[in-house]
């Protein structure tokens, strides 16, 4: 960033964060949290729009710009009212007239191809609703990517040319094998020409004036994935797995996104105008690694965002989590405030990583020459052994046996608890003095594909026709009978798991489906049941992939996920009554979910706490939303409930266990409890995941880190975490240890224990940033 081009808004935010304008690298600005990131981007956009009323803008789609969109709409509404004036005065826009956005020209960044432009999950639809209509832009001034309007050979629609919605780009280079392929080949060349024309239209406008985009797990901006040509232009192209995994939630599963191409503007398209203001936004620790590489690496095709270094007006706007691995951030972490044991642990563990050296091979000279270890007070031959001792104490804590505790394990989604800390739960659940409760706070229906439900309902009809769902013949079943014996469904299913009877497993699932459908649709008799099942199948078969389902089907999908969770904990003898399904109302399946509300979302948690009186609560510790946004919204709701409960109860002895799973992870220095995991325990987790999470086994919505089951990814993470500890302690600590639990460990789980005050310190920051803003 050229210091002379720092805007008034950016100066205000740099001042607020205590960052001097002449800092070594002001090419990025760091804010506290995701909502504050939205405020920064909104104010900068409105500032630019006021200076460039007929400028060319290109804005992002997806969940990342949620608070940018909300803040922009809010500020435009209250621009000349007291709240708007207060914000403008605080951030340097006091004398700025409300911008008129109608003169701006909008350029769509990218789009899946082919996709119906009317679908809610098309980017065209997103742009029209959130930007053209939402910001009051002029549709006539917009340059958009509409699959339905891109011409193809013989004037045909893409549904005729690409009937399976797959576009084979090898047809650009090979001979056609059929008349259909000839039609497709000609159409692909026409699309290529359309892309060239789209590029030319952008260039004719003078290039982009204001570009804002997110950054993908592989570093992609727009759909310019890792390895993209630095001088790429608008084109029809394939994507990589990381991008497909991210897009799976938009398109209804990886099986769809892996076969869908994209049209995207290129890296040269973004940078062709040297005066473009280009902003990349990123939130959460999960983005920290790719953010560091994109900011601190020279221009190269491995990290596409490095191309923005060509622009003197390029910026990264980051949350603290996303900026946590930057060199400046690490320097500040070690250089500011008092030194503490966590800093020593982190510095030494990281030195072992950097040198790929065991702790006992780290010399005093290695410590003195390291950028951070050299600052450890009283550096001597005991420095590494003291860090080793600290880590060993954490492991010993993880080996401890809890007794006389009331555990409440919570998860934002089904499978979060298991993927995070199953082995640690299994250690304590066999102790009869402990009580166990599990609570999933959302219904999790978005993780269930339409095809899974169609197959399950089709099976159900078949079993009904064969007389194998016998309970529906009981006289009172459709009145009250369906409400009973839910534990029997679970027990029956697991008995068939033990017996290896696949056919009976399917029948066991169908029993639960029948109970759920009767409850949801108010079924009166067997014929009504069969008719309803057929109607739901028909509706789903006529829905597009990724379409938002009606509330009844959302509930059905959610109840199947609840059955899956009950199956997991029934392995350990936990009854259905101890698995609590809260179905918090903020979780709606919309693009932007609502903020948790007191009466709708916090009150049910508070009621549960009062009923159970837990002594230990576990939760997904994600204060910044590194994973799905559901994680930090659930954390907000739990924090609010605990805050209310603490007004009536003495919670000084309450312990909070913060866990992390496949979406993000702790550094060993952050954890204060390290749990050894054996191969047997990994096998148990994988077996439970495979046999219980029926809708998730095929990984329709995988992590970008692994194309496979989440249980395999958890195992991969646990093994990687063990390697960090092995480097520090040496492998002989493990295979020669007197404790057989440590000798058998081949993975590690990191846990952070907090008291209530410590937990609320983290959660309060997020709540404070949102209250009263919208």
């Amino acid at each position: 960033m050229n210091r002379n081009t720092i805007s008034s808004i950016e100066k205000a935010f740099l001042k607020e964060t205590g960052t001097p304008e002449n800092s070594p690298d002001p090419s990025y600005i760091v804010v506290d949290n995701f909502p504050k990131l939205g405020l920064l981007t909104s104010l900068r956009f409105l500032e630019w729009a006021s200076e460039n009323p007929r400028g060319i803008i290109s804005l992002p789609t997806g969940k990342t710009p949620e608070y940018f969109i909300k803040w922009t709409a809010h500020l435009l509404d209250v621009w000349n009212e007291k709240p708007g004036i207060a914000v403008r005065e605080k951030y340097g826009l006091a004398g700025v007239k409300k911008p008129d956005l109608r003169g701006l020209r909008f350029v769509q960044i990218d789009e899946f191809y082919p996709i119906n432009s009317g679908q809610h999950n098309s980017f065209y639809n997103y742009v029209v609703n959130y930007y053209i209509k939402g910001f009051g832009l002029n549709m006539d001034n917009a340059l958009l990517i509409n699959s339905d309007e891109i011409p193809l050979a013989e004037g045909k629609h893409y549904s005729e040319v690409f009937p399976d919605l797959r576009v084979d780009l090898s047809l650009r280079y090979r001979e056609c094998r059929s008349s259909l392929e000839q039609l497709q080949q000609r159409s692909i060349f026409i699309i290529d020409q359309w892309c060239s024309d789209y590029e030319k239209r952008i260039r004719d406008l003078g290039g982009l004036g204001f570009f804002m985009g997110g950054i993908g797990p592989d570093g992609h901006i727009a759909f310019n994935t890792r390895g993209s040509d630095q001088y790429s232009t608008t084109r029809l192209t394939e994507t990589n797995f990381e991008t497909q995994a991210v897009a799976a939630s938009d398109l209804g599963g990886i099986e769809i996104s892996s076969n869908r191409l994209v049209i995207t503007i290129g890296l040269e398209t973004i940078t062709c105008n040297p005066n473009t203001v280009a902003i990349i936004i990123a939130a959460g620790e999960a983005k920290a690694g790719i953010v560091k590489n994109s900011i601190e690496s020279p221009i190269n095709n491995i990290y596409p965002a490095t191309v923005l270094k060509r622009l003197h007006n390029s910026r990264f706007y980051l949350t603290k989590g996303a900026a946590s691995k930057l060199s400046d951030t690490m320097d500040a972490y070690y250089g500011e405030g008092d030194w503490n044991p966590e800093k020593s642990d982190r510095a030494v563990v990281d030195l072992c990583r950097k040198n790929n050296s065991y702790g006992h091979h780290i010399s005093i000279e290695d410590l003195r020459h390291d950028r951070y270890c050299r600052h450890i007070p009283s550096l001597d031959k005991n420095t590494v052994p003291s860090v080793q001792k600290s880590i060993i104490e954490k492991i010993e804590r993880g080996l401890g046996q809890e007794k006389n505790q009331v555990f409440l394990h919570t998860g934002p989604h089904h499978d979060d608890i298991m993927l995070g800390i199953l082995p640690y739960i299994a250690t304590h659940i066999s102790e009869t003095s402990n009580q166990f409760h599990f609570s999933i706070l959302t219904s999790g229906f978005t993780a269930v594909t339409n095809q899974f439900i169609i197959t399950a309902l089709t099976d159900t009809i078949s079993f009904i026709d064969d007389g194998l769902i016998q309970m529906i013949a009981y006289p009172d079943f459709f009145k009250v009978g369906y409400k009973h014996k839910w534990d029997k469904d679970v027990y029956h299913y697991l008995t068939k798991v033990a017996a290896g009877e696949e056919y009976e497993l399917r029948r066991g699932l169908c029993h639960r489906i029948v109970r759920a459908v009767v409850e949801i649709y108010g079924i009166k008799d067997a014929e009504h049941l069969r008719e309803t099942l057929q109607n739901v199948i028909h509706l789903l078969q006529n829905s597009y992939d990724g379409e938002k389902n009606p509330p009844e089907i959302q509930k059905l999908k959610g109840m199947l996920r609840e059955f899956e969770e009950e199956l997991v904990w029934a392995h350990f003898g936990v009854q259905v009554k101890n698995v609590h399904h809260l179905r918090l109302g903020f979780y709606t399946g919309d693009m932007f979910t609502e903020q948790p509300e007191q009466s709708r979302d916090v009150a049910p948690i508070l009621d549960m706490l009062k009923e159970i009186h837990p002594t230990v609560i576990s939760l997904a510790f994600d204060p910044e939303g590194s994973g799905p946004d559901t994680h930090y919204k659930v954390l907000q709701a739990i924090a609010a409930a605990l805050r209310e409960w603490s007004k009536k109860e003495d919670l000084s002895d309450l312990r909070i266990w913060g866990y992390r799973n496949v979406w993000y992870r702790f550094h060993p220095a952050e954890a204060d409890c390290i749990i050894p995991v054996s191969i047997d325990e990994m096998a148990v987790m994988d077996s439970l995941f495979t046999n219980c999470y029926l809708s998730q086994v095929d990984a329709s919505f995988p992590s970008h880190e692994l194309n496979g089951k989440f249980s395999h990814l958890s195992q991969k993470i646990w093994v990687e975490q063990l390697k960090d500890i092995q480097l520090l302690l040496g492998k002989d600590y493990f295979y020669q240890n007197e404790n057989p639990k440590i000798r058998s460990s081949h993975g590690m789980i990191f846990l952070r224990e907090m008291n209530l005050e410590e937990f609320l310190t983290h959660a309060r920051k997020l709540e404070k940033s949102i209250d009263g803003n919208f």
Side-chain angles (χ1 to χ4, degrees), residues 18-40:
T19 306
E21 293 176 30
N22 60 350
S23 63
D25 187 4
S27 61
Y28 59 87
I29 298 175
V30 181
V31 296
D32 287 339
N33 48 58
F34 195 18
K36 195 65 170 283
L37 185 67
L39 176 61
L40 169 58

mmCIF file of all heavy atoms in Angstrom, residues 18-40:
data_model
loop_
_atom_site.group_PDB
_atom_site.id
_atom_site.type_symbol
_atom_site.label_atom_id
_atom_site.label_comp_id
_atom_site.label_asym_id
_atom_site.label_seq_id
_atom_site.Cartn_x
_atom_site.Cartn_y
_atom_site.Cartn_z
ATOM 1 N N GLY A 18 -4.494 1.301 16.936
ATOM 2 C CA GLY A 18 -3.186 1.648 17.446
ATOM 3 C C GLY A 18 -2.058 1.392 16.482
ATOM 4 O O GLY A 18 -0.890 1.311 16.885
ATOM 5 N N THR A 19 -2.384 1.262 15.182
ATOM 6 C CA THR A 19 -1.366 1.016 14.174
ATOM 7 C C THR A 19 -0.957 2.327 13.531
ATOM 8 O O THR A 19 -1.803 3.027 12.958
ATOM 9 C CB THR A 19 -1.894 0.072 13.077
ATOM 10 O OG1 THR A 19 -2.393 -1.113 13.693
ATOM 11 C CG2 THR A 19 -0.783 -0.282 12.091
ATOM 12 N N PRO A 20 0.321 2.712 13.610
ATOM 13 C CA PRO A 20 0.745 3.962 12.978
ATOM 14 C C PRO A 20 0.591 3.900 11.464
ATOM 15 O O PRO A 20 0.765 2.841 10.861
ATOM 16 C CB PRO A 20 2.226 4.082 13.368
ATOM 17 C CG PRO A 20 2.462 3.058 14.414
ATOM 18 C CD PRO A 20 1.420 2.008 14.258
ATOM 19 N N GLU A 21 0.238 5.028 10.848
ATOM 20 C CA GLU A 21 0.115 5.069 9.386
ATOM 21 C C GLU A 21 1.435 4.747 8.703
ATOM 22 O O GLU A 21 1.456 4.225 7.586
ATOM 23 C CB GLU A 21 -0.366 6.451 8.929
ATOM 24 C CG GLU A 21 -1.780 6.773 9.347
ATOM 25 C CD GLU A 21 -2.165 8.184 8.946
ATOM 26 O OE1 GLU A 21 -1.631 8.671 7.911
ATOM 27 O OE2 GLU A 21 -2.956 8.817 9.641
ATOM 28 N N ASN A 22 2.541 5.039 9.376
ATOM 29 C CA ASN A 22 3.852 4.773 8.782
ATOM 30 C C ASN A 22 4.443 3.464 9.278
ATOM 31 O O ASN A 22 5.660 3.289 9.329
ATOM 32 C CB ASN A 22 4.820 5.919 9.091
ATOM 33 C CG ASN A 22 5.028 6.099 10.590
ATOM 34 O OD1 ASN A 22 4.324 5.493 11.392
ATOM 35 N ND2 ASN A 22 5.990 6.937 10.945
ATOM 36 N N SER A 23 3.580 2.517 9.654
ATOM 37 C CA SER A 23 4.047 1.209 10.107
ATOM 38 C C SER A 23 4.740 0.496 8.963
ATOM 39 O O SER A 23 4.524 0.813 7.785
ATOM 40 C CB SER A 23 2.867 0.375 10.618
ATOM 41 O OG SER A 23 1.946 0.132 9.585
ATOM 42 N N PRO A 24 5.597 -0.496 9.275
ATOM 43 C CA PRO A 24 6.368 -1.165 8.230
ATOM 44 C C PRO A 24 5.523 -1.732 7.101
ATOM 45 O O PRO A 24 5.949 -1.742 5.957
ATOM 46 C CB PRO A 24 7.081 -2.285 9.005
ATOM 47 C CG PRO A 24 7.154 -1.786 10.410
ATOM 48 C CD PRO A 24 5.909 -0.993 10.619
ATOM 49 N N ASP A 25 4.353 -2.230 7.410
ATOM 50 C CA ASP A 25 3.532 -2.827 6.354
ATOM 51 C C ASP A 25 2.068 -2.481 6.565
ATOM 52 O O ASP A 25 1.316 -3.254 7.141
ATOM 53 C CB ASP A 25 3.709 -4.347 6.330
ATOM 54 C CG ASP A 25 3.002 -4.981 5.137
ATOM 55 O OD1 ASP A 25 2.450 -4.231 4.310
ATOM 56 O OD2 ASP A 25 3.014 -6.207 5.028
ATOM 57 N N PRO A 26 1.649 -1.285 6.124
ATOM 58 C CA PRO A 26 0.236 -0.915 6.267
ATOM 59 C C PRO A 26 -0.612 -1.421 5.106
ATOM 60 O O PRO A 26 -1.629 -0.826 4.778
ATOM 61 C CB PRO A 26 0.288 0.612 6.283
ATOM 62 C CG PRO A 26 1.447 0.935 5.390
ATOM 63 C CD PRO A 26 2.431 -0.195 5.541
ATOM 64 N N SER A 27 -0.195 -2.521 4.445
ATOM 65 C CA SER A 27 -0.973 -3.054 3.329
ATOM 66 C C SER A 27 -2.166 -3.852 3.812
ATOM 67 O O SER A 27 -2.931 -4.364 3.017
ATOM 68 C CB SER A 27 -0.092 -3.924 2.430
ATOM 69 O OG SER A 27 0.415 -5.021 3.154
ATOM 70 N N TYR A 28 -2.297 -3.999 5.129
ATOM 71 C CA TYR A 28 -3.463 -4.678 5.672
ATOM 72 C C TYR A 28 -3.920 -3.946 6.927
ATOM 73 O O TYR A 28 -3.139 -3.241 7.588
ATOM 74 C CB TYR A 28 -3.162 -6.144 5.983
ATOM 75 C CG TYR A 28 -2.044 -6.356 6.975
ATOM 76 C CD1 TYR A 28 -2.298 -6.359 8.340
ATOM 77 C CD2 TYR A 28 -0.741 -6.557 6.543
ATOM 78 C CE1 TYR A 28 -1.281 -6.552 9.262
ATOM 79 C CE2 TYR A 28 0.282 -6.748 7.451
ATOM 80 C CZ TYR A 28 0.008 -6.751 8.801
ATOM 81 O OH TYR A 28 1.018 -6.936 9.708
ATOM 82 N N ILE A 29 -5.193 -4.083 7.217
ATOM 83 C CA ILE A 29 -5.780 -3.492 8.417
ATOM 84 C C ILE A 29 -6.470 -4.608 9.194
ATOM 85 O O ILE A 29 -7.189 -5.421 8.608
ATOM 86 C CB ILE A 29 -6.783 -2.377 8.061
ATOM 87 C CG1 ILE A 29 -6.067 -1.248 7.315
ATOM 88 C CG2 ILE A 29 -7.467 -1.837 9.311
ATOM 89 C CD1 ILE A 29 -6.992 -0.151 6.819
ATOM 90 N N VAL A 30 -6.254 -4.647 10.495
ATOM 91 C CA VAL A 30 -6.794 -5.712 11.339
ATOM 92 C C VAL A 30 -7.852 -5.131 12.277
ATOM 93 O O VAL A 30 -7.622 -4.093 12.914
ATOM 94 C CB VAL A 30 -5.682 -6.383 12.160
ATOM 95 C CG1 VAL A 30 -6.255 -7.517 13.013
ATOM 96 C CG2 VAL A 30 -4.581 -6.916 11.246
ATOM 97 N N VAL A 31 -8.999 -5.807 12.336
ATOM 98 C CA VAL A 31 -10.067 -5.410 13.258
ATOM 99 C C VAL A 31 -10.376 -6.572 14.195
ATOM 100 O O VAL A 31 -9.901 -7.696 13.994
ATOM 101 C CB VAL A 31 -11.339 -4.975 12.504
ATOM 102 C CG1 VAL A 31 -11.068 -3.737 11.670
ATOM 103 C CG2 VAL A 31 -11.853 -6.105 11.612
ATOM 104 N N ASP A 32 -11.187 -6.303 15.202
ATOM 105 C CA ASP A 32 -11.406 -7.286 16.260
ATOM 106 C C ASP A 32 -12.173 -8.523 15.823
ATOM 107 O O ASP A 32 -11.908 -9.628 16.286
ATOM 108 C CB ASP A 32 -12.135 -6.639 17.443
ATOM 109 C CG ASP A 32 -11.234 -5.702 18.231
ATOM 110 O OD1 ASP A 32 -10.007 -5.848 18.138
ATOM 111 O OD2 ASP A 32 -11.758 -4.821 18.929
ATOM 112 N N ASN A 33 -13.173 -8.343 14.943
ATOM 113 C CA ASN A 33 -14.068 -9.460 14.686
ATOM 114 C C ASN A 33 -14.771 -9.298 13.338
ATOM 115 O O ASN A 33 -14.602 -8.298 12.639
ATOM 116 C CB ASN A 33 -15.098 -9.584 15.810
ATOM 117 C CG ASN A 33 -15.742 -8.256 16.123
ATOM 118 O OD1 ASN A 33 -16.342 -7.624 15.256
ATOM 119 N ND2 ASN A 33 -15.608 -7.799 17.369
ATOM 120 N N PHE A 34 -15.568 -10.279 13.004
ATOM 121 C CA PHE A 34 -16.251 -10.361 11.715
ATOM 122 C C PHE A 34 -17.211 -9.183 11.494
ATOM 123 O O PHE A 34 -17.191 -8.549 10.429
ATOM 124 C CB PHE A 34 -16.973 -11.708 11.644
ATOM 125 C CG PHE A 34 -17.423 -12.106 10.261
ATOM 126 C CD1 PHE A 34 -16.893 -11.529 9.122
ATOM 127 C CD2 PHE A 34 -18.384 -13.104 10.096
ATOM 128 C CE1 PHE A 34 -17.306 -11.911 7.849
ATOM 129 C CE2 PHE A 34 -18.800 -13.497 8.837
ATOM 130 C CZ PHE A 34 -18.267 -12.894 7.715
ATOM 131 N N PRO A 35 -18.100 -8.856 12.452
ATOM 132 C CA PRO A 35 -18.986 -7.707 12.232
ATOM 133 C C PRO A 35 -18.222 -6.402 12.030
ATOM 134 O O PRO A 35 -18.616 -5.565 11.213
ATOM 135 C CB PRO A 35 -19.843 -7.680 13.506
ATOM 136 C CG PRO A 35 -19.839 -9.092 13.984
ATOM 137 C CD PRO A 35 -18.473 -9.601 13.685
ATOM 138 N N LYS A 36 -17.130 -6.216 12.773
ATOM 139 C CA LYS A 36 -16.333 -4.991 12.614
ATOM 140 C C LYS A 36 -15.677 -4.966 11.235
ATOM 141 O O LYS A 36 -15.505 -3.892 10.633
ATOM 142 C CB LYS A 36 -15.257 -4.938 13.710
ATOM 143 C CG LYS A 36 -14.611 -3.578 13.888
ATOM 144 C CD LYS A 36 -15.615 -2.551 14.376
ATOM 145 C CE LYS A 36 -14.964 -1.238 14.787
ATOM 146 N NZ LYS A 36 -14.300 -1.311 16.098
ATOM 147 N N LEU A 37 -15.344 -6.124 10.714
ATOM 148 C CA LEU A 37 -14.802 -6.215 9.361
ATOM 149 C C LEU A 37 -15.834 -5.712 8.354
ATOM 150 O O LEU A 37 -15.496 -5.012 7.389
ATOM 151 C CB LEU A 37 -14.430 -7.672 9.052
ATOM 152 C CG LEU A 37 -13.728 -7.955 7.727
ATOM 153 C CD1 LEU A 37 -12.341 -7.337 7.695
ATOM 154 C CD2 LEU A 37 -13.634 -9.469 7.504
ATOM 155 N N GLY A 38 -17.097 -6.050 8.588
ATOM 156 C CA GLY A 38 -18.165 -5.560 7.721
ATOM 157 C C GLY A 38 -18.297 -4.054 7.769
ATOM 158 O O GLY A 38 -18.545 -3.401 6.749
ATOM 159 N N LEU A 39 -18.134 -3.478 8.963
ATOM 160 C CA LEU A 39 -18.211 -2.021 9.101
ATOM 161 C C LEU A 39 -17.084 -1.348 8.324
ATOM 162 O O LEU A 39 -17.311 -0.363 7.602
ATOM 163 C CB LEU A 39 -18.139 -1.640 10.578
ATOM 164 C CG LEU A 39 -18.100 -0.135 10.881
ATOM 165 C CD1 LEU A 39 -19.354 0.561 10.364
ATOM 166 C CD2 LEU A 39 -17.928 0.102 12.381
ATOM 167 N N LEU A 40 -15.865 -1.858 8.467
ATOM 168 C CA LEU A 40 -14.720 -1.287 7.753
ATOM 169 C C LEU A 40 -14.933 -1.333 6.243
ATOM 170 O O LEU A 40 -14.749 -0.318 5.543
ATOM 171 C CB LEU A 40 -13.448 -2.056 8.134
ATOM 172 C CG LEU A 40 -12.193 -1.788 7.293
ATOM 173 C CD1 LEU A 40 -11.812 -0.324 7.311
ATOM 174 C CD2 LEU A 40 -11.043 -2.670 7.787
#
